[in-house]
Amino acid sequence: MLNKVYDWIDERLDITPLWRDVADHEVPEHVNPAHHFSAFVYCFGGLTFFVVVIQVLSGMFLSMYYVPDIERAWESVYYLQNQVAFGQIVRGMHHWGASIVIVMMFLHTLRVFFQGAYKKPRELNWIVGVLIFFVMLALGLTGYLLPWDMKALNATKVTLDIAQSTPLIGDMLKTLLSGDEHIVGAETLTRFFAIHVFFLPAALLGLIGLHFLMIRKQGISGPL
């Protein structure tokens, strides 16, 4: 059945050459753990992407129940965790995944740095990778407020004060994040939700796509 569906699509779109171009791509010997134990350090990038996929899928599940309103946000999270089937598991995956993905990205960044993989001709890919790292930090920052509990409120107040201390654009940055009243309220929650669910994921997917495109074009960097 699946073969017939594939043949039907391939007859119209000719996807076989594209699939072979992806599937038949050779992996360098130095990243094969069967030949070199040190090749495991090359797994950090793939593991990071795997956790990102989990974050996206679990986040899509959570967004079906979350209500970005100051009167119902905490209640929606409580309902999700205690009433929805597997809700506690999915939320736990999303919660711990937010920390794990930062750790994996940090390890991946260390591997790239100490092996000199940021040097010519991969300078642009290094810049894109750093931008991905900042986007992931911003995702964790904006997602922290969404449960709307006291810990999240106090942490966000500190975040807004840090944003306000930014030279030249501090006041504008705080207004952008918190709203015109400069307090952690309904506008802040709405803006953090929009940034967390729409703007940052769009930027993340675009940067990851560009990252993979350059890796495919330039190949995986060699050992020291």
Side-chain angles (χ1 to χ4, degrees), residues 55 94-95 98-99 101-102 133-148 151-164 166 173 177 184 188-189 191-193 195-197 200:
Q55 289 299 94
H94 198 76
H95 172 79
S99 299
V101 72
I102 298 299
F133 191 83
F134 284 128
V135 169
M136 292 304 305
L137 290 176
L139 280 165
L141 187 68
T142 53
Y144 202 82
L145 177 64
L146 301 187
W148 200 248
K151 183 171 67 172
L153 290 173
N154 293 329
T156 303
K157 290 178 182 178
V158 175
T159 299
L160 294 177
D161 290 339
I162 294 175
Q164 190 176 24
T166 305
L173 185 59
L177 294 175
V184 181
T188 312
L189 180 62
R191 294 184 183 208
F192 272 53
F193 175 77
I195 293 172
H196 185 76
V197 174
L200 291 178

Side-chain angles (χ1 to χ4, degrees), residues 82-96:
N82 294 279
Q83 301 296 327
V84 177
F86 306 108
Q88 187 175 18
I89 295 176
V90 177
R91 191 193 173 204
M93 292 170 59
H94 198 76
H95 172 79
W96 291 108

